Every structure is written in C-alpha cells, then in structure tokens.
C-alpha cells in the first residue's frame, strides 16, 4: 500500500473515490455513535453497583457525626482522610464537596470575583482585566468557565514533560495574569503527565499577582488503565516549600471512579485558604451530602479498596484504548498524515491530524452520525491555530460500537487528508 | 399567683431570689440542651430509613435517562414533576439542584453579581449599591448571604397576613432596591403564612429595578404538623399575570422531608429565566446527583406518598410544639411579660419577650447550657430594635430534653423580666 503523503494526483483521486464510497456506506447505514465525552460506559458503572444499596442498615453515625443530619461543613473526617491519601496531602487540607469537582472549580473562581481570594486586594470583579494561562490542548470545560467570567485566556503549549515553563515564567510577570489551569496527570486530552521537575517549577513560580490561582485539576490522579499506579508529587507541600502555600487549589472526585455526577468531590488547599474559603462557603451551604460520603466510605472500605476498584475499571478501559490505538496504527499510521499519544491512564487519546483538516474531519464524522468532540474545543475560543487536533474519548461505547466508530473516524481522517492534498 | 407585670419592688425581689435559685439549679446540674436550629430530630430521620437502601436493585434507567451517568442538567423529568406538584407550578419551570436549596439561593445571588440576571443592564458587582428588602423577623441565613455579598438590608415587618406592603411599595421606588427575601408559608421564624391577598400584591409589584429579584423560599410548603394541608398560590403564575414572570425565583427542598443536607433541592422560575440560568449553570456542573433524585422518587412513589410521609413527620413534631406552647402558657402567660405565635406548620415558635430582655435571656440560657438562637439573629445586622425576639426550634431534642429546655427557658424569660423591672 502506498502512503497518502507520497501519492500523486491520480492516485489521490482514485483513493478519494474509494474512501468516499466507504464513507457513503456509513452514512447510508444510519450510523449513530458517540466518542465525544469522557463519559464512563455501562461496563464501568456496573462495577459500583453495590454502592446503590448503601448505607443500607449500616449506622449513619460515623466519626462522631450523624451523617444523615445537618453539620460538618468540610465533610466527614474519614472522607477527608480518604481523599488526602489519594492526593498525598493532609486530611485537614481537604474539603469534601457535592457530586461535582467542576462545581467546586467554578465556585472557586466565582468567589474570586465576588469576594476575592485570601491575598486579593479586591474582588476580581473590580479589576479591569483578568487573564488566565490555559495549557493547550486542554479541557474545554475549564475554558468555558473562563469565558463565562470574561477571563482572557492565554494558550501555552503542553510539552512532553508539562507546560512550557519558559513561556509561563514570562507571562506571570503581568499582574493581570491571575491564574492557570492544569491537569497534571494524564492531562485532558493528551494523556501526558507533568514531570516532577515541571511540577516543582510550577510550585516555585513567582507571579506578579499576589493572589495568583493555580487551578490543579487532578481528575485522573489514580486513573491508570495500564501498568501500576504512578506516584505523583503533592502540589500543596511543593508550593509550601517555596512560600506559595496559598497559591494552589487542587481538585478531584469519584466521578470516574464510582458514578459520574453522583459521586463525591473535593478541593485541597493550604489551611489558611481552607479557613478563608470555609467562611464564605458557610453562607452557601450548611453541609454537603454526607450520606453520599458515607456510601463511598462503606463501598471502598479503605485505600486498598479504591486501588483494587481502579484496577477493575482499568481492565474495562484498556481494551477500548487498544481499539483506538490499533485502528490508528493500522489505518492511519502507514499514510504518515497524523500522530497521536499513547496514554496509560486518563480518558482520552489526542489525535493530531494533517494541519488544516481537523474541522473537516469532525464535520465528516458528524454528518455520518459519529459524535466527536468538535475540532478546536480543546483550545481557548475554539481556536486551534493548526486546525489539527481531535480528542477521542473511547470510554462510553461498547467495544463493537467503538470499533465501528474508529473505522469511520479513520476513513474521515484519510478522506480529509486526500481532499486537502488535492487542494 | 400574682403576675410579674403588676408586682411591687418587694415582690419582684422575692421572686427574683426564687428564680435565681431555680436557675442556679440548672447551672449546677450541668444542663446541655439545644433548641437553636431547625434541625430534624432522630425521631424524624428514622421515618426515611428505607431511602438508605435505594435504589438498590431497581433500574437506574428512568425517564429514558441513565441516572447513574452524566447528563440532563435540569434533573430527571419525574423529579421535576414531583416538585412541580408540590409547588403548584409546571415541571418545565423546575430545576433540580443538589442537596441544599440554600446553595441554589446563594448561587442565584452570586450569578446576579458575576453575570447579572436576565433583565440586568450589568452585573450587580458593577453597581454602586445593591439593597434588599428583608422581612423581619426572618431567616438568619438569608441575611448572612446578603452580608456576604455586601447587600444593604432594609427590614420590613411581617404583619399578620404577610409583609407590610405599604412600606414595600414605597421602598421599591428606589432602583437600588434589587430584591427581597420571603418565606411565604410558615415563615421562619413566626410560623405565619402570607394571605392570598398579600401574595397577589407582591406578584403585582412594580419595582423601579428592571431586574428585581423576589427570593421566594418556600421551605415549609407542605410542612403542616397540625390539621390538613393548606393550599397556597403559585407565585410564578401570579407574577406572570402582572407581567412579572421573570421577577421571582422559588426554592424548596426535601431537607426537612427526608434527610437534612442529603436530600434534593430545586428552584422554580419562568421558562425565560430557566433558559438564562441553564446557560450559566451548564458551565458550573454537568448534572446534579440524579441517583439521589431517583432514590427520592422510589421512596415517595408519588405525590400521595409525600403527603402521607409529611403526616408521619407532623405526628412527631406536634407533641414537641405542644411542649413549647404549653410551657409558655403555663409558666409565662400568667405574667403578661411575653407573647408568641401558635403555628400549625414550619419549624419554629417566635417568642416576643419583654422589650429589652431578649439578649439577656439568650445569655442566661447559654450560661446554663441551653443553646438557643442568639437574640437578634432573626434581624439584619443582628439588630432587633426592641431586643425582644427569640426563636425557639423544638424539632431536634427528644421530648424529655425539650421539656427540660423549656423549663429553663421559661425561668430565664421571667428572671430577665424581673431584673428589667427592678432596673
């Protein structure tokens, strides 16, 4: 087989006809597939089924607290301990929220605007301009929060060992740069993890803004699907070493451990930030759902219980990532028109198609009934300067559907490349 | 027995000694009692025990939605229908939130500050001054939200049939008056319900502020503990009749139906407000905890199931309110030094002690080990101009403890009155 990248015009035209026929077949078949979101599949949900009957007859009185009544704003002590063990931080640095860490992130930024952060001179709503560093490609929902609050986003590329620190150290000299989004482990969507060196550099930043906010979304902290658990540095104590203890808020949840949108979430931060935030949050809520905290504690039993559960989830995810990566390897790799990462954890495969074809690929997919994250969504303002990046989320569809989705996607990747080369 | 109000100095001195001895007895006994918060007792919690094993083996796929996965921002259709039936509004006007309606209230006001409301010219954070009308006595947590956002509070008295509309219609001529807090049924703390006439007057208000926000906290909408369910007007359709459909947000929850802080909550509003708010909330959360919505649907089964459950809860609460009211009747009424309301629903008894004695009473209680809502808490800025009002929350303690608490409270009411009269 000749590769697309070295075909002449006639060969391209002939391949185009062939691919177009294949594509039309998908359209005709009325395909309806979805690889758009990092949404766990039913084969993952079923692994948490025991949680659905909890706490059952177990006592709701735990840690000296009645979990079925009001009280204990920061969450059950055992739940704080559980997340502290996951994140490598201290229980007193952990605040347990509701079912969504996204809500805790939105709320943190919202409070920065309405009340200001611990070291803010005034609430951000009273500033002329607020800018955030956004590592790209990144998580579209982070960027959507920024847009919603009118925060100007500055893209900084993710290199192989973490975000480009040279650019960042330059950008943070601007006092208007107030914060930064990071997904440090199995980053969304590249699946890369920041090296210890880069984590330490981030912790040592000296931003001009005294209330700089490092948003550390550790969504995939224990989400290996291949190989053993990979340890990571505790960002809070790293920041502390450099006098930056109050710079960082870390986030995590069980959304991709038990039930998406029905799990428990947390933020972790310095004790000073905790005291400051609790004062504001105490006006917002009396206490978050402690019964759901209890459910999770009873379900996992202990840290080993969580890690064993993650192994089971990983075993479900691995074959799905294999399908994606094998399809790309077989169908696309020989043509030298795209590249991608090979993650060992997280929820995504980042695909870099031929420059100038990502939008076309995502349109082709959509028209044929395959829902894929829209091209550009992983960049602020939907602006992928190369129009190259696509995010593949393999978790939701059953294996057969995923194979079908990848056949269609690979067809579209090639078709768009051929069209592009034909000009 | 001679009444305190007509005693001479010697009689007062003799009674004071007697009351002081009684009071010292409580102090010596190391009393530890709590009638401070509207917190359901264990005797209420136990009535929802079946919920703790739900959904169990029941399907989590309901209304065509997988409740154990992400999606459906506004909540399960059946849950929206359930609250719509409770509130007399339409399912499409209901948004199901997390475990706390307080959080939905805080968030509504927060969004007014960061994003503005549907008819705001600009976000409230960009206004020089934001003022709210606060019906007094009222709910301290409403006032705490105002204080947290720097909203200036204007107290307006609650009359027997609702807030003073003459004052209100005058105040809303000021464009800086942007909103108002109401607890329309079994108001916290007076236990009075607004008449249909006043509800209609509120719905017909013509505030100068185009984005006036009527915060309608219907926390006790079905919370009768005596007599049959008392119907109430749907505030949303009432507002609609006067071209004010977008003026009101209504709030409710199951915190005092199933589990405090572990139930489900909602807001209800016009379809235009719903569309506006959903656009912002979609950046904050993917979806609230639908499994907990499902739990509640399975537990209640239908509207009759909720109402039957409320009867059971009422039967637990009634004897507690009887203890409070009988104690006051026996111990305090003969002395003509205080008055109070006799509610048939809600969570509180409002006590108006002799002017200038409420703070002293609450200090006396505290020193003797009885935790009572601090005097003044039911007024903005803790400012009860008469220093007369105290809020009694009978729900939490078991019957015996409540009797003991009331003996101590009545002693303190009389002691403070005697002290006051002695000057």
């Amino acid at each position: 087989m000749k590769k697309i990248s070295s075909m002449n015009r006639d060969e391209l035209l002939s391949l185009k006809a062939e691919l177009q026929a294949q594509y039309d077949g998908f359209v005709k078949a009325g395909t309806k597939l979805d690889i758009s979101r990092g949404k766990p599949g039913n084969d993952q949900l079923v692994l948490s089924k025991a949680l659905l009957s909890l706490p059952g007859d177990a006592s709701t009185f735990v840690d000296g607290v009645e979990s079925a009544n009001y009280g204990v704003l920061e969450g059950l002590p055992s739940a704080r301990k559980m997340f502290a063990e996951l994140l490598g931080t201290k229980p007193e640095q952990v605040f347990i929220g509701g079912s969504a860490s996204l809500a805790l992130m939105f709320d943190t930024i919202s409070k920065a605007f309405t009340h200001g952060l611990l070291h803010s001179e005034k609430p951000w709503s009273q500033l002329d301009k607020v800018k955030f560093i956004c590592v790209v490609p990144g998580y579209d929902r982070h960027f959507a929060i920024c847009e919603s609050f009118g925060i100007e986003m500055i893209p900084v590329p993710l290199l192989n060992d973490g975000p480009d620190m040279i650019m960042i150290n330059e950008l943070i000299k601007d006092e208007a740069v107030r914060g930064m989004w990071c997904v440090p482990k199995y980053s969304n969507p590249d699946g890369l993890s920041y090296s210890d060196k880069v984590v330490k550099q981030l912790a040592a930043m000296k931003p001009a803004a005294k209330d700089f906010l490092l948003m550390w979304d550790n969504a995939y902290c224990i989400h290996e699907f291949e190989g053993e658990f990979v340890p990571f540095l505790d960002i809070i104590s790293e920041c502390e070493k450099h006098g930056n203890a109050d710079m960082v808020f870390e986030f995590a949840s069980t959304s991709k451990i038990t039930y998406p949108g029905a799990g428990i979430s947390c933020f972790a931060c310095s004790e000073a930030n905790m005291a400051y935030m609790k004062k504001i949050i105490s006006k917002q809520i009396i206490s978050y759902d402690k019964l759901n905290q209890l459910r999770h504690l009873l379900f996992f039993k202990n840290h080993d219980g969580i890690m064993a559960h993650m192994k089971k989830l990983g075993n479900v995810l691995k074959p799905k990532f294999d399908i994606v990566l094998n399809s790309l390897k077989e169908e696309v790799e020989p043509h030298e028109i795209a590249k991608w990462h090979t993650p060992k954890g997280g929820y995504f495969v980042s695909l870099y198609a031929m420059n100038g074809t990502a939008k076309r690929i995502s349109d082709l997919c959509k028209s044929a009934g395959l829902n894929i994250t829209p091209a550009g969504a992983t960049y602020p303002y939907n602006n992928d300067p190369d129009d190259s990046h696509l995010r593949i989320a393999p978790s939701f569809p059953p294996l057969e559907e995923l194979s079908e989705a990848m056949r269609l996607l690979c067809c579209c990747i090639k078709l768009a490349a051929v069209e592009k080369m034909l000009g």
Side-chain angles (χ1 to χ4, degrees), chain A:
Chain A
M1 190 181 67
K2 200 163 177 187
K3 58 189 181 195
I4 292 175
S5 55
S6 56
M7 282 183 183
N8 65 29
R9 190 165 176 85
D10 283 346
E11 287 163 335
L12 287 169
L13 280 170
S14 138
L15 179 59
K16 187 187 170 194
E18 194 184 304
L19 290 166
Q20 187 68 50
Q22 197 191 337
Y23 178 78
D24 292 345
F26 282 105
V27 176
K28 218 172 159 182
T31 310
K32 214 169 156 42
L33 300 162
D34 196 337
I35 52 171
S36 67
R37 304 284 342 165
K39 192 171 167 174
N42 290 331
D43 39 10
Q44 287 168 272
L45 301 185
V46 76
L47 296 172
S48 298
K49 198 158 173 27
L51 204 144
L52 297 176
S53 305
L54 292 173
D57 286 328
S59 172
T60 54
F61 191 81
V62 278
D63 299 336
V65 175
E66 176 49 66
S67 58
N69 215 330
Y70 290 128
V72 195
L73 178 61
E74 63 277 12
L76 292 175
S78 297
R80 301 175 80 191
K81 185 169 159 280
M82 182 191 98
F83 271 114
E85 281 173 357
L86 289 187
L87 299 174
T89 184
K90 299 177 207 151
E92 57 271 28
Q93 295 174 328
V94 174
F95 182 102
I96 312 290
S99 60
S101 59
L102 190 71
L104 293 176
M105 295 181 222
F106 181 100
D107 285 8
T108 302
I109 288 181
S110 186
K111 287 174 173 64
F113 273 85
T114 54
H115 292 74
L117 298 171
L118 178 58
H119 299 294
S120 298
E121 273 169 36
K122 45 186 169 182
W124 290 3
S125 60
Q126 305 308 312
L127 299 173
D128 288 335
K129 177 73 92 179
V130 178
K131 302 179 194 173
F132 257 56
I133 295 169
C134 296
V135 183
V136 293
Y139 181 30
D140 55 348
R141 292 191 188 274
H142 289 164
F143 305 156
I145 290 175
C146 281
E147 273 202 87
S148 186
F149 284 92
I151 296 173
E152 187 183 315
M153 294 179 272
I154 308 167
V156 164
L158 181 65
L159 309 179
N160 277 329
D161 61 345
D164 184 335
M165 288 309 301
I166 294 169
M167 270 187 79
I168 287 172
N169 282 323
E170 205 51 46
L171 286 166
I172 58 175
K173 289 178 185 164
D174 176 1
E175 206 190 349
V177 174
R178 296 269 157 187
M180 173 177 179
W181 288 106
C182 294
V183 182
K185 191 170 168 184
Y186 303 127
S187 66
N188 175 352
D190 274 351
L192 296 172
S193 298
Y194 300 6
S195 70
D196 286 357
K197 187 181 152 201
V198 171
V199 170
K200 284 169 189 286
Q201 286 173 335
L202 284 164
M205 284 187 293
K206 292 290 165 226
K210 293 287 162 275
D211 56 355
F212 189 89
L213 175 59
L214 182 59
M215 295 289 284
W216 200 256
D217 184 359
N218 215 339
Y220 309 107
C221 52
I222 53 166
H223 296 59
E224 280 78 14
F225 56 74
E226 189 175 341
E228 292 307 304
F229 167 72
V230 180
F232 54 89
L233 290 176
D234 168 31
I235 186 65
I236 299 173
S237 48
E238 289 301 322
C239 284
E240 212 176 337
K241 286 177 196 164
H242 298 278
N244 278 337
D246 304 334
M247 179 174 73
V248 64
F249 277 83
E250 182 174 24
F251 301 89
S253 81
T254 67
S255 283
K256 289 175 181 85
I257 300 179
T258 57
Y259 289 116
I264 55 175
S265 66
C266 79
F267 68 76
C269 62
S270 72
E271 282 90 334
N273 273 337
M274 182 67 69
Y276 178 80
M277 277 296 173
K278 274 179 62 180
K279 212 184 277 184
I280 307 176
I281 299 173
S282 70
K283 313 304 177 202
Q284 185 176 18
I285 197 162
I286 302 172
S287 49
Y288 281 95
D289 187 343
K290 295 191 298 300
L291 276 181
N292 211 26
Q293 296 171 28
L294 175 60
R295 256 176 222 116
H296 282 76
L297 291 167
L298 291 168
F299 176 65
F300 292 132
K301 293 187 181 71
N302 52 41
H303 184 71
D304 289 346
I306 304 185
M307 298 315 281
H309 184 71
M310 294 313 292
K311 274 274 177 211
K312 288 190 217 168
L313 288 171
N315 291 340
V316 172
L317 281 174
K318 177 69 167 62
K320 296 191 177 182
F321 278 84
D322 285 347
I323 286 173
V324 171
L325 295 165
N326 289 337
S327 298
L328 291 172
K329 196 178 172 63
E330 284 164 30
E331 300 282 329
V332 180
E333 193 171 77
H335 292 291
E336 293 178 3
I337 50 173
K339 58 191 173 63
W340 51 88
H341 294 290
T342 304
K344 299 192 168 187
Y347 263 68
F348 304 102
V349 174
S350 244
L351 174 77
Y352 295 84
M354 184 184 282
N355 280 0
T357 66
K359 276 211 184 75
R360 174 65 179 153
I361 294 168
S362 105
D363 287 348
L364 280 168
C365 287
K366 206 179 158 192
S367 301
L370 172 60
N371 192 8
I372 182 166
T373 313
T378 52
Y379 290 77
Y381 313 110
N382 282 294
N383 180 23
D384 172 5
D386 296 329
D387 185 25
S388 154
H389 183 263
L390 288 167
R391 184 180 82 164
I392 304 171
S395 57
F396 188 66
L399 297 175
E400 293 243 324
E401 287 184 20
L402 180 60
S403 299
E404 182 76 354
M406 284 309 297
R407 271 191 294 274
L408 173 52
L409 176 60
C410 290
C411 171
C412 296
I413 294 168
K414 289 185 281 186
L415 183 52
V418 170
E419 286 176 352
K420 178 87 186 167
M421 288 179 69
L422 285 167

